[in-house]
Structure formats: structure tokens, C-alpha cells
Amino acid sequence: MNPVAIDKHTRLVKDLAHQLGFAFCGISKSDFLESEAPRLEKWLQQGMHGQMDYMGNHFDKRLDPRLLVPGSKSVISLAYHYYPPEPKTDKSFHISKYAYGEDYHVVIKDRLHTFIQRIRDEIGEVDGRAFVDSAPLLEKAWAAKAGIGWVGKNANVISKSQGSFFFLAELVLDLELTPDGPVKDYCGTCTRCIDACPTDAIVTPYVVDGSKCISYLTIELREAIPQEFKGRMAEWAFGCDICQDVCPWNRFAKSHQEPRFLGNESWHHWTTSEWKELTEETFKRVFKGSAVKRAKYVGLRKNIDFLEP
Ligand code: B12
Ligand code: SF4
Ligand code: SF4
């Protein structure tokens, strides 16, 4: 395709991303992610995926989006803010900020489908797929390659101007676009996230042992939480934000503008005993349509029972 058309399409895609509320849009060529292969292999070999068996599947696809979307030419990485306008400040148990409102998989997928449709309206026939979280795609590596931010020592993608409280999503399309480049790593000598992690899940800078992470223990692990974590959960009942809350770059975190992420805030003021007495009926009412509902009542109950009163 001629370079003028490629540039025009690139500008169009970035404008549309902005109009649809994405905070960042970065582009990479759809290609083999060579640098990540040994890292992913080592992470899996060391069992850092715990019981997330899905992480062991589709090794090749995870590293090459052309196997996931045959004929694809570009990976468009997108970021969508979720930092709440009013984060919970009361003591007692916590829920990760990403799960305050409606399930992001649903909210962002809707937006991605609109995005593809708008691209087709403007450009014509374009083939491809939209992803958010659940596909075998190394979303952070793509976001870093496209310059949305760098992968920090806490293993999250961080932007120097807007912190890390954003989701990642992608469009993998058969449309040729101008790629962006990576940005510098601004972690420097800081180790705040490593020092603050209550379960020592950040085993070395940039590497999180998923099987030790509170997010895994409270969301992914279907069995009982191992006793070695007793007293080390820092009152997190669903997910964990500690390594992001302590990150100095999150002083620049931007609040989301998404009404669907607001959710029912009545739990913000629950005392520890109210949490401990949570019934299935209240669970269904308060967390209706929210990301927490994914854990189901039994899942959240398991976590609450494990926490110290
Ligand atoms: C599996 C998974 C988890 C697991 C494992 C965590 C992990 N770090 O991988 C668990 C359940 C623990 C988890 C937790 C969370 N997750 Co999660 N998770 C994923 C998922 C599905 C796959 C990630 C993956 O491929 N891991 C495999 C390992 C190998 O990858 P990795 O950690 O990225 O490892 C890389 C680095 O360590 C790097 N690396 C290794 N050594 C070195 C050395 C140097 C010098 C450098 C530069 C890099 C480097 O290379 C590795 C390979 O790329 C992605 C969605 C997706 N499809 O990508 C979401 C995703 C990463 N999660 C996300 C979020 C929000 C979270 C939580 C914050 C949720 C919460 N509040 O509870 C926590 C954060 C925990 C943490 N500190 O990482 C977001 C991150 C957004 C962002 N801004 O970065 C994603 C992208 C989902 C989304 N679509 O928004 N998650
Ligand atoms: S999310 Fe919590 S448990 Fe997981 S690495 Fe970060 S601080 Fe540690
Ligand atoms: S807390 Fe410090 S070391 Fe950790 S990710 Fe943020 S800047 Fe990097």
C-alpha cells in the first residue's frame, strides 16, 4: 500500500481511539514477539502460573498474533482508564479498583466492536479481531512495544503521564499502519512495589510469581488459599492494588469517565463484621453485574473467611 494511505489510516485509527475514550493508542507490526519467548517459557517452567492452566496453552499463538488472526498486519494496543473518581478510603476489607463497576471485559468489548465498525465505515473492508484480557496475547508486551508505557518492576504497564490504572485491549487487523516505538523504563532505582508486596510475589524486578499474588489467590484459585498466606493478605478480599498504589507514577493516575465502571458503592462503608456476615442475597444485590460477580458468592466467601477479622 502507498505510504500516504498508510499514514492517513494511522491518523484515522488514532483519532477514532481518542473519540471512543481510549487514553492511549499505540501501533506495532503483527509479528513474532521474539524477546518474550524465553521469558514466557521460564515463567511457565517455574510454575508461576499456578493453577491458571490456560496460561500454558497456545504457547506459539501467545507469541505470534498472525497465528491468532491469520493475515493480520497490525496490532493496535489501547488503554482504558479505571481509576475510580472516589476510591474507597474506609478501613476493613478491600476490592481492587478495577472491579468496582461493571465487568470491563463486557464494557471494553462493546467499545472495540464499535471501533472496528467505525474503521470499516471510513476505510472499507477490514478484517480482524478485538481482544481484551482473555485471549492468548501478551497484552503488556504489545503495549510496551507500541510505547503506551514501560513494563514496570511490578509487571504492570506504566505511563509516565498517567500511571498504570488502565486496562489494555487490542485490535489485530489486516490493515497496514505506521508502527510506534517503545518508551524508556522510568523505574530507576525505585523498589517500592517489591518492598510493599505482602506475599513477596514480585520475586525479582519485573517478574511476578502469579501463584503467590493476592490477585491470583482471591480470583483465580478455586481451591482453599494455602495456609502460608494466612495473615499476609493485607485485607484484600478480591484482587490487590498494593504494588500500584505505592508506585510514585500513580500520583498521575487519571480517573475514568466511564459511568459503567461506577457500580454500587454501598460496600465501601461496610465494617469487617459486615463483610464477615455477607449473605448470598446481599452479594447478589450489591455486586449485580459487577466484575466481583465472576468470583460468585462461594468464591468471595472463601476469601472473606480466610481474612483476619
Ligand atoms: C495471567 C494474568 C495475571 C496473573 C499473573 C500476573 C502476571 N504478572 O502475569 C495474575 C492473576 C496474578 C494477575 C494479576 C493482576 N493483573 Co493480570 N493478567 C494476566 C494476563 C491474562 C496474562 C499476563 C501474562 O501473560 N503473564 C505471563 C507472564 C510471563 O507475563 P508478564 O508478567 O507480563 O511477564 C513479563 C515480564 O515479567 C517481562 N520481564 C521479565 N523479565 C524482565 C526483565 C526486564 C528487564 C524487563 C523489561 C521485562 C521483563 O517479560 C515477561 C514476558 O512478557 C493479562 C492479560 C493478557 N492476555 O495479557 C492480565 C493483565 C496483565 N492483568 C492486568 C491487571 C490489571 C492485573 C492486576 C492489577 C489486577 C488486580 N488489581 O488484582 C494484578 C496485578 C498483578 C501484578 N503485579 O502483575 C492488566 C494489566 C494492565 C496494565 N496496566 O499493565 C492485564 C493486561 C489485563 C488487561 N487486559 O488489562 N494477572
Ligand atoms: S498485586 Fe498485590 S500480591 Fe500481587 S504482586 Fe502486586 S502487591 Fe504483590
Ligand atoms: S513502584 Fe517503583 S519500581 Fe515499582 S513499578 Fe513503580 S516506579 Fe517501578
Side-chain angles (χ1 to χ4, degrees):
M1 200 192 286
N2 88 57
V4 178
I6 295 174
D7 267 3
K8 190 174 150 221
H9 292 164
T10 305
R11 257 180 286 122
L12 174 82
V13 163
K14 292 196 173 181
D15 283 351
L16 284 175
H18 185 67
Q19 285 168 29
L20 287 165
F22 290 100
F24 298 105
C25 170
I27 293 163
S28 313
K29 187 171 183 291
S30 183
D31 216 342
F32 180 56
L33 262 181
E34 201 171 348
S35 61
E36 303 306 315
R39 289 176 184 160
L40 176 63
E41 193 175 9
K42 197 168 162 201
W43 192 79
L44 291 168
Q45 269 170 1
Q46 294 181 336
M48 292 189 182
H49 56 310
Q51 291 181 17
M52 294 180 283
D53 293 339
Y54 62 88
M55 285 303 300
N57 300 335
H58 308 298
F59 184 82
D60 293 336
K61 272 191 193 156
R62 214 170 274 280
L63 293 162
D64 193 340
R66 294 168 306 178
L67 303 177
L68 203 59
V69 185
S72 59
K73 296 208 171 69
S74 303
V75 177
I76 304 169
S77 292
L78 300 156
Y80 200 71
H81 284 305
Y82 65 85
Y83 194 81
E86 289 183 42
K88 171 186 179 293
T89 47
D90 285 22
K91 290 261 181 298
S92 86
F93 300 162
H94 313 293
I95 285 180
S96 169
K97 291 182 253 305
Y98 90 79
Y100 277 22
E102 204 179 318
D103 190 336
Y104 74 95
H105 298 91
V106 179
V107 175
I108 297 180
K109 245 321 168 29
D110 287 353
R111 218 154 263 259
L112 294 175
H113 287 143
T114 309
F115 199 161
I116 294 197
Q117 195 45 55
R118 298 275 294 272
I119 292 176
R120 287 185 181 137
D121 292 346
E122 299 279 351
I123 299 179
E125 200 37 54
V126 172
D127 256 351
R129 290 175 66 187
F131 302 107
V132 51
D133 185 55
S134 43
L137 196 74
L138 290 171
E139 295 188 302
K140 294 183 283 179
W142 285 106
K145 194 175 162 76
I148 284 185
W150 73 99
V151 179
K153 291 182 193 173
N154 64 7
N156 286 286
V157 174
I158 308 168
S159 143
K160 204 177 161 215
S161 60
Q162 306 196 19
S164 64
F165 285 104
F166 49 75
F167 297 117
L168 295 174
E170 305 73 30
L171 296 182
V172 182
L173 304 179
D174 68 349
L175 181 68
E176 203 173 332
L177 298 167
T178 314
D180 295 296
V183 295
K184 201 174 149 279
D185 176 336
Y186 288 96
C187 280
T189 55
C190 175
T191 56
R192 281 198 209 178
C193 53
I194 301 171
D195 302 339
C197 175
T199 57
D200 299 321
I202 309 175
V203 285
T204 47
Y206 308 100
V207 180
V208 167
D209 181 342
S211 71
K212 288 182 164 181
C213 177
I214 292 171
S215 187
Y216 164 83
L217 299 170
T218 55
I219 303 174
E220 301 283 335
L221 184 64
R222 297 282 163 238
E223 298 170 1
I225 300 173
Q227 282 304 311
E228 63 177 290
F229 298 107
K230 197 81 189 164
R232 298 169 70 195
M233 304 289 285
E235 279 84 47
W236 286 90
F238 187 88
C240 169
D241 289 340
I242 295 176
C243 57
Q244 294 191 87
D245 283 337
V246 300
C247 178
W249 296 106
N250 274 325
R251 66 192 186 279
F252 303 124
K254 295 263 186 303
S255 298
H256 69 73
Q257 306 276 317
E258 175 55 73
R260 294 170 76 181
F261 285 166
L262 289 172
N264 179 335
E265 293 180 357
S266 53
W267 61 269
H268 286 213
H269 309 293
W270 287 351
T271 60
T272 311
S273 12
E274 281 172 300
W275 273 105
K276 286 277 180 191
E277 284 155 19
L278 177 68
T279 61
E280 185 156 11
E281 205 188 329
T282 310
F283 172 82
K284 282 190 177 149
R285 182 171 44 80
V286 173
F287 298 112
K288 187 167 179 260
S290 95
V292 179
K293 223 169 147 237
R294 284 192 137 207
K296 303 210 173 69
Y297 176 69
V298 280
L300 192 62
R301 183 79 261 161
K302 176 198 81 169
N303 300 339
I304 296 167
D305 289 343
F306 191 76
L307 299 179
E308 309 291 344

Coordinates of all heavy atoms in Angstrom, one line a residue, residues 77-141:
S77 N -2.6 -1.4 20.1 CA -2.8 -1.5 21.5 C -3.5 -0.3 22.1 O -3.2 0.8 21.7 CB -1.4 -1.6 22.2 OG -0.8 -2.8 21.8
L78 N -4.4 -0.6 23.0 CA -5.3 0.5 23.5 C -5.3 0.5 25.1 O -5.2 -0.6 25.6 CB -6.7 0.3 23.0 CG -6.9 0.4 21.5 CD1 -8.1 -0.4 21.1 CD2 -6.9 1.8 21.0
A79 N -5.4 1.6 25.7 CA -5.5 1.7 27.2 C -6.8 2.4 27.5 O -7.2 3.4 26.9 CB -4.3 2.4 27.7
Y80 N -7.5 1.9 28.6 CA -8.7 2.4 29.0 C -8.7 2.6 30.5 O -8.6 1.6 31.3 CB -9.9 1.5 28.6 CG -11.2 2.1 28.5 CD1 -11.6 3.0 27.5 CD2 -12.2 1.8 29.5 CE1 -12.8 3.6 27.5 CE2 -13.5 2.4 29.4 CZ -13.8 3.3 28.4 OH -15.0 3.8 28.4
H81 N -8.8 3.8 31.0 CA -8.7 4.1 32.5 C -9.8 3.4 33.3 O -10.9 3.3 32.9 CB -8.8 5.6 32.7 CG -7.6 6.3 32.3 ND1 -6.3 6.0 32.8 CD2 -7.4 7.4 31.5 CE1 -5.4 6.8 32.3 NE2 -6.0 7.7 31.5
Y82 N -9.4 3.0 34.6 CA -10.4 2.5 35.5 C -10.2 3.1 36.9 O -10.9 2.7 37.8 CB -10.4 1.0 35.6 CG -9.1 0.4 36.1 CD1 -8.9 0.2 37.5 CD2 -8.2 -0.1 35.2 CE1 -7.8 -0.5 37.9 CE2 -7.0 -0.8 35.7 CZ -6.8 -0.9 37.1 OH -5.7 -1.5 37.5
Y83 N -9.3 4.0 37.1 CA -9.1 4.6 38.5 C -10.4 5.3 38.9 O -10.9 6.2 38.2 CB -7.9 5.6 38.5 CG -7.5 5.9 39.9 CD1 -6.7 5.0 40.6 CD2 -7.9 7.0 40.6 CE1 -6.3 5.3 41.9 CE2 -7.6 7.3 41.9 CZ -6.7 6.4 42.5 OH -6.4 6.7 43.8
P84 N -11.0 4.9 40.0 CA -12.3 5.5 40.4 C -12.2 6.9 40.8 O -11.2 7.3 41.4 CB -12.8 4.6 41.6 CG -11.7 3.6 41.8 CD -10.5 3.9 41.0
P85 N -13.2 7.7 40.5 CA -13.2 9.2 40.9 C -13.2 9.2 42.4 O -12.6 10.2 43.0 CB -14.6 9.7 40.4 CG -15.1 8.7 39.4 CD -14.4 7.4 39.6
E86 N -13.8 8.2 43.1 CA -13.8 8.2 44.6 C -13.4 6.9 45.1 O -14.2 6.0 45.4 CB -15.2 8.6 45.1 CG -15.5 10.0 44.9 CD -16.8 10.4 45.5 OE1 -17.1 10.0 46.6 OE2 -17.6 11.1 44.8
P87 N -12.1 6.6 45.2 CA -11.7 5.3 45.7 C -12.1 5.1 47.2 O -12.2 6.1 47.9 CB -10.1 5.3 45.6 CG -9.8 6.6 44.9 CD -11.0 7.5 44.9
K88 N -12.3 3.9 47.5 CA -12.7 3.6 48.9 C -11.6 4.0 49.9 O -10.4 3.6 49.6 CB -13.0 2.1 49.0 CG -13.2 1.6 50.4 CD -13.3 0.0 50.4 CE -13.5 -0.6 51.8 NZ -12.4 -0.5 52.7
T89 N -11.9 4.6 51.0 CA -10.9 5.0 51.9 C -11.1 4.4 53.3 O -10.2 4.3 54.1 CB -10.9 6.6 52.1 OG1 -12.2 7.0 52.3 CG2 -10.3 7.3 50.9
D90 N -12.3 3.9 53.5 CA -12.6 3.2 54.8 C -11.7 2.1 55.0 O -11.3 1.4 54.1 CB -14.0 2.7 54.9 CG -15.1 3.8 55.0 OD1 -14.7 4.9 54.7 OD2 -16.2 3.5 55.4
K91 N -11.4 1.8 56.3 CA -10.6 0.6 56.6 C -11.5 -0.6 56.4 O -12.5 -0.5 55.7 CB -10.2 0.6 58.1 CG -9.1 1.7 58.4 CD -7.7 1.1 58.5 CE -6.6 2.1 58.8 NZ -6.5 3.2 57.8
S92 N -11.1 -1.8 56.8 CA -11.8 -3.1 56.6 C -11.4 -3.7 55.3 O -10.3 -3.3 54.8 CB -13.3 -3.0 56.8 OG -14.0 -2.6 55.6
F93 N -12.2 -4.6 54.7 CA -11.7 -5.3 53.5 C -11.7 -4.5 52.2 O -12.5 -3.6 52.1 CB -12.5 -6.6 53.4 CG -12.3 -7.5 54.6 CD1 -13.2 -8.5 54.9 CD2 -11.3 -7.3 55.5 CE1 -13.1 -9.4 56.0 CE2 -11.2 -8.2 56.7 CZ -12.1 -9.2 56.9
H94 N -10.9 -4.9 51.3 CA -10.8 -4.2 50.0 C -11.1 -5.0 48.8 O -10.9 -6.2 48.8 CB -9.4 -3.7 49.8 CG -8.7 -3.0 51.0 ND1 -9.2 -1.8 51.5 CD2 -7.7 -3.4 51.7 CE1 -8.4 -1.5 52.5 NE2 -7.5 -2.5 52.7
I95 N -11.6 -4.3 47.8 CA -11.8 -4.9 46.5 C -11.0 -4.1 45.5 O -11.0 -2.8 45.6 CB -13.3 -4.9 46.1 CG1 -14.0 -5.9 46.9 CG2 -13.5 -5.0 44.6 CD1 -15.5 -6.0 46.7
S96 N -10.3 -4.7 44.6 CA -9.5 -4.0 43.6 C -10.3 -2.9 42.9 O -11.4 -3.2 42.5 CB -8.8 -5.0 42.7 OG -8.2 -4.2 41.6
K97 N -9.6 -1.8 42.6 CA -10.3 -0.7 41.9 C -10.8 -1.1 40.6 O -11.8 -0.5 40.0 CB -9.4 0.5 41.9 CG -9.1 1.1 43.2 CD -8.2 2.3 43.1 CE -6.8 2.1 43.6 NZ -6.7 1.6 45.0
Y98 N -10.2 -2.1 40.0 CA -10.6 -2.5 38.6 C -12.0 -3.1 38.6 O -12.6 -3.2 37.6 CB -9.6 -3.4 37.9 CG -9.7 -4.9 38.1 CD1 -10.7 -5.6 37.4 CD2 -9.0 -5.6 39.1 CE1 -10.8 -6.9 37.5 CE2 -9.2 -6.9 39.2 CZ -10.1 -7.6 38.5 OH -10.3 -8.9 38.6
A99 N -12.4 -3.6 39.8 CA -13.7 -4.4 39.9 C -14.8 -3.6 40.5 O -15.8 -4.2 40.9 CB -13.4 -5.7 40.6
Y100 N -14.7 -2.3 40.7 CA -15.8 -1.5 41.3 C -17.1 -1.6 40.5 O -18.1 -1.7 41.1 CB -15.4 0.0 41.4 CG -14.5 0.3 42.6 CD1 -13.7 -0.6 43.3 CD2 -14.5 1.7 43.1 CE1 -12.9 -0.2 44.3 CE2 -13.6 2.0 44.1 CZ -12.9 1.1 44.8 OH -12.1 1.5 45.8
G101 N -17.0 -1.5 39.2 CA -18.2 -1.4 38.4 C -18.4 -2.6 37.6 O -18.1 -3.8 38.0
E102 N -19.1 -2.4 36.4 CA -19.4 -3.5 35.5 C -18.2 -4.2 35.0 O -17.1 -3.5 34.8 CB -20.2 -2.9 34.4 CG -21.1 -3.9 33.7 CD -22.0 -3.2 32.6 OE1 -22.4 -2.0 32.8 OE2 -22.1 -3.8 31.5
D103 N -18.3 -5.4 34.7 CA -17.1 -6.2 34.2 C -16.5 -5.5 33.0 O -17.1 -5.3 32.0 CB -17.7 -7.6 33.8 CG -16.6 -8.6 33.5 OD1 -15.5 -8.1 33.1 OD2 -16.9 -9.8 33.6
Y104 N -15.2 -5.2 33.1 CA -14.5 -4.5 32.0 C -14.5 -5.3 30.7 O -14.4 -4.7 29.6 CB -13.1 -4.1 32.4 CG -12.0 -5.1 32.5 CD1 -11.2 -5.3 31.4 CD2 -11.8 -5.9 33.7 CE1 -10.2 -6.3 31.5 CE2 -10.8 -6.8 33.8 CZ -10.0 -7.0 32.7 OH -9.0 -8.0 32.8
H105 N -14.5 -6.6 30.8 CA -14.5 -7.4 29.6 C -15.6 -7.0 28.7 O -15.5 -6.9 27.5 CB -14.5 -8.9 29.9 CG -13.3 -9.4 30.7 ND1 -13.4 -9.4 32.1 CD2 -12.1 -9.8 30.3 CE1 -12.2 -9.8 32.5 NE2 -11.4 -10.1 31.5
V106 N -16.8 -6.9 29.3 CA -18.0 -6.5 28.6 C -18.0 -5.1 28.1 O -18.3 -4.8 26.9 CB -19.3 -6.8 29.5 CG1 -20.5 -6.4 28.8 CG2 -19.3 -8.2 30.1
V107 N -17.6 -4.2 29.0 CA -17.7 -2.7 28.7 C -16.7 -2.4 27.5 O -17.1 -1.8 26.5 CB -17.3 -1.9 29.9 CG1 -17.2 -0.4 29.6 CG2 -18.3 -2.1 31.1
I108 N -15.5 -3.0 27.6 CA -14.5 -2.6 26.6 C -14.7 -3.4 25.3 O -14.6 -2.8 24.2 CB -13.0 -2.9 27.2 CG1 -12.8 -1.9 28.3 CG2 -12.0 -2.6 26.1 CD1 -11.5 -2.0 29.0
K109 N -15.2 -4.6 25.4 CA -15.5 -5.4 24.1 C -16.6 -4.6 23.3 O -16.4 -4.4 22.1 CB -16.1 -6.7 24.5 CG -15.4 -8.0 24.1 CD -14.7 -8.1 22.8 CE -13.7 -9.2 22.5 NZ -13.8 -10.5 23.1
D110 N -17.6 -4.0 24.0 CA -18.6 -3.3 23.3 C -17.9 -2.1 22.5 O -18.2 -1.9 21.3 CB -19.6 -2.6 24.3 CG -20.5 -3.6 24.9 OD1 -20.5 -4.8 24.4 OD2 -21.3 -3.3 25.8
R111 N -17.0 -1.4 23.2 CA -16.3 -0.3 22.6 C -15.4 -0.7 21.4 O -15.3 0.0 20.4 CB -15.5 0.4 23.7 CG -15.5 1.9 23.6 CD -15.2 2.5 24.9 NE -16.5 2.8 25.6 CZ -17.0 4.1 25.6 NH1 -16.3 5.0 25.1 NH2 -18.1 4.3 26.2
L112 N -14.8 -1.9 21.6 CA -13.9 -2.4 20.5 C -14.7 -2.7 19.2 O -14.3 -2.5 18.1 CB -13.1 -3.6 21.0 CG -12.1 -3.3 22.1 CD1 -11.5 -4.7 22.5 CD2 -11.0 -2.4 21.7
H113 N -15.9 -3.3 19.4 CA -16.7 -3.6 18.3 C -17.2 -2.3 17.5 O -17.2 -2.3 16.3 CB -17.9 -4.5 18.7 CG -17.5 -5.9 19.0 ND1 -18.0 -6.6 20.0 CD2 -16.5 -6.7 18.5 CE1 -17.4 -7.8 20.1 NE2 -16.4 -7.8 19.2
T114 N -17.5 -1.3 18.3 CA -17.9 0.0 17.7 C -16.7 0.5 16.9 O -16.8 1.0 15.8 CB -18.3 1.0 18.8 OG1 -19.2 0.4 19.6 CG2 -18.7 2.3 18.2
F115 N -15.5 0.3 17.5 CA -14.2 0.8 16.9 C -14.0 0.2 15.5 O -13.8 0.8 14.5 CB -13.1 0.5 17.9 CG -11.8 1.3 17.6 CD1 -10.8 1.3 18.6 CD2 -11.5 1.9 16.4 CE1 -9.6 2.0 18.4 CE2 -10.4 2.7 16.2 CZ -9.4 2.7 17.2
I116 N -14.1 -1.2 15.5 CA -13.9 -1.9 14.2 C -15.0 -1.4 13.2 O -14.7 -1.1 12.0 CB -14.0 -3.4 14.4 CG1 -12.9 -3.9 15.3 CG2 -14.0 -4.1 13.0 CD1 -12.6 -5.4 15.2
Q117 N -16.2 -1.2 13.6 CA -17.3 -0.8 12.7 C -16.9 0.6 12.2 O -17.1 0.8 11.0 CB -18.6 -0.8 13.5 CG -19.8 -0.7 12.5 CD -19.7 -1.7 11.3 OE1 -19.5 -2.9 11.4 NE2 -19.8 -1.1 10.1
R118 N -16.5 1.5 13.0 CA -16.1 2.9 12.6 C -15.0 2.8 11.6 O -15.0 3.6 10.6 CB -15.8 3.7 13.8 CG -16.9 3.9 14.8 CD -17.8 5.1 14.4 NE -17.2 6.4 14.5 CZ -17.2 7.1 15.5 NH1 -17.6 6.7 16.7 NH2 -16.6 8.3 15.5
I119 N -14.0 1.9 11.8 CA -12.9 1.8 10.9 C -13.4 1.3 9.5 O -13.1 1.9 8.4 CB -11.8 0.8 11.4 CG1 -11.1 1.4 12.6 CG2 -10.8 0.5 10.3 CD1 -10.1 0.5 13.3
R120 N -14.3 0.3 9.5 CA -14.9 -0.2 8.3 C -15.7 0.9 7.6 O -15.7 1.0 6.3 CB -15.8 -1.4 8.6 CG -14.9 -2.6 8.9 CD -15.8 -3.9 9.1 NE -14.9 -5.0 9.4 CZ -15.2 -5.9 10.3 NH1 -16.3 -5.8 11.0 NH2 -14.3 -6.8 10.6
D121 N -16.5 1.7 8.3 CA -17.2 2.8 7.7 C -16.3 3.8 7.0 O -16.7 4.3 5.9 CB -18.0 3.6 8.8 CG -19.1 2.8 9.5 OD1 -19.5 1.7 8.9 OD2 -19.6 3.2 10.5
E122 N -15.2 4.0 7.5 CA -14.3 5.0 7.0 C -13.4 4.5 5.9 O -13.0 5.2 4.9 CB -13.4 5.6 8.1 CG -14.1 6.3 9.2 CD -14.5 7.7 8.8 OE1 -14.1 8.2 7.8 OE2 -15.3 8.3 9.6
I123 N -12.9 3.2 6.1 CA -11.9 2.7 5.2 C -12.4 1.6 4.2 O -11.9 1.5 3.1 CB -10.7 2.1 6.0 CG1 -10.1 3.2 6.8 CG2 -9.6 1.5 5.1 CD1 -8.9 2.7 7.7
G124 N -13.4 0.9 4.6 CA -13.9 -0.2 3.7 C -13.7 -1.5 4.4 O -13.6 -1.6 5.6
E125 N -13.6 -2.6 3.6 CA -13.5 -3.9 4.2 C -12.1 -4.1 4.9 O -11.1 -4.0 4.3 CB -13.6 -5.0 3.0 CG -13.9 -6.3 3.6 CD -14.9 -6.4 4.8 OE1 -16.0 -5.8 4.7 OE2 -14.5 -6.9 5.8
V126 N -12.2 -4.3 6.2 CA -11.0 -4.6 7.0 C -11.3 -5.8 7.9 O -12.4 -5.8 8.5 CB -10.7 -3.3 8.0 CG1 -9.6 -3.7 8.9 CG2 -10.3 -2.1 7.1
D127 N -10.4 -6.8 7.9 CA -10.7 -8.0 8.7 C -9.9 -7.9 9.9 O -8.8 -7.4 9.9 CB -10.3 -9.2 7.8 CG -11.5 -9.9 7.3 OD1 -12.6 -9.5 7.7 OD2 -11.3 -10.8 6.5
G128 N -10.4 -8.6 11.0 CA -9.6 -8.6 12.2 C -10.4 -9.0 13.4 O -11.6 -9.3 13.3
R129 N -9.7 -9.0 14.6 CA -10.4 -9.3 15.8 C -10.1 -8.4 16.9 O -9.1 -7.7 16.9 CB -10.0 -10.8 16.2 CG -10.6 -11.8 15.3 CD -10.1 -13.2 15.6 NE -10.6 -13.7 16.9 CZ -10.2 -14.8 17.5 NH1 -9.3 -15.6 16.9 NH2 -10.7 -15.2 18.7
A130 N -11.0 -8.3 17.9 CA -10.8 -7.5 19.1 C -10.6 -8.3 20.3 O -11.2 -9.3 20.5 CB -12.1 -6.6 19.3
F131 N -9.6 -7.9 21.1 CA -9.3 -8.7 22.3 C -9.2 -7.8 23.6 O -8.7 -6.6 23.5 CB -7.9 -9.3 22.2 CG -7.9 -10.3 21.0 CD1 -7.1 -9.9 19.9 CD2 -8.5 -11.5 21.0 CE1 -7.1 -10.8 18.7 CE2 -8.5 -12.3 19.9 CZ -7.7 -12.0 18.8
V132 N -9.7 -8.3 24.7 CA -9.4 -7.7 25.9 C -9.2 -8.7 27.0 O -10.1 -9.5 27.3 CB -10.5 -6.6 26.3 CG1 -11.9 -7.1 26.2 CG2 -10.2 -6.0 27.7
D133 N -8.0 -8.9 27.5 CA -7.6 -9.8 28.5 C -7.6 -11.3 28.3 O -6.7 -12.0 28.5 CB -8.5 -9.5 29.8 CG -8.1 -10.3 31.0 OD1 -6.9 -10.2 31.4 OD2 -8.9 -11.0 31.5
S134 N -8.7 -11.8 27.7 CA -8.9 -13.3 27.8 C -8.2 -14.0 26.6 O -8.1 -15.2 26.7 CB -10.4 -13.6 27.8 OG -11.0 -12.8 26.8
A135 N -7.7 -13.3 25.6 CA -7.0 -14.1 24.5 C -5.6 -14.4 24.8 O -4.9 -13.8 25.6 CB -7.1 -13.2 23.3
P136 N -5.1 -15.5 24.1 CA -3.6 -15.8 24.3 C -2.8 -14.8 23.5 O -2.3 -15.0 22.4 CB -3.5 -17.2 23.7 CG -4.7 -17.4 22.8 CD -5.8 -16.4 23.3
L137 N -2.7 -13.6 24.2 CA -1.9 -12.5 23.6 C -1.2 -11.8 24.7 O -1.8 -11.6 25.7 CB -2.9 -11.5 22.9 CG -2.5 -10.5 21.9 CD1 -2.2 -11.1 20.6 CD2 -3.6 -9.5 21.7
L138 N 0.1 -11.6 24.6 CA 0.9 -10.9 25.7 C 0.6 -9.4 25.6 O 1.4 -8.6 25.1 CB 2.3 -11.2 25.6 CG 2.8 -12.7 25.8 CD1 4.2 -12.9 25.5 CD2 2.6 -13.0 27.3
E139 N -0.5 -9.0 26.2 CA -1.0 -7.7 26.1 C 0.0 -6.6 26.5 O 0.1 -5.6 25.9 CB -2.3 -7.5 26.8 CG -3.4 -8.3 26.2 CD -4.8 -8.0 26.8 OE1 -4.9 -8.2 28.1 OE2 -5.7 -7.7 26.1
K140 N 0.7 -6.9 27.6 CA 1.6 -5.9 28.2 C 2.8 -5.7 27.3 O 3.3 -4.6 27.0 CB 2.1 -6.3 29.6 CG 1.0 -6.3 30.6 CD 1.5 -6.7 32.0 CE 1.7 -8.2 32.2 NZ 2.2 -8.5 33.5
A141 N 3.3 -6.9 26.7 CA 4.5 -6.8 25.8 C 4.1 -6.0 24.6 O 4.9 -5.1 24.1 CB 4.9 -8.2 25.5

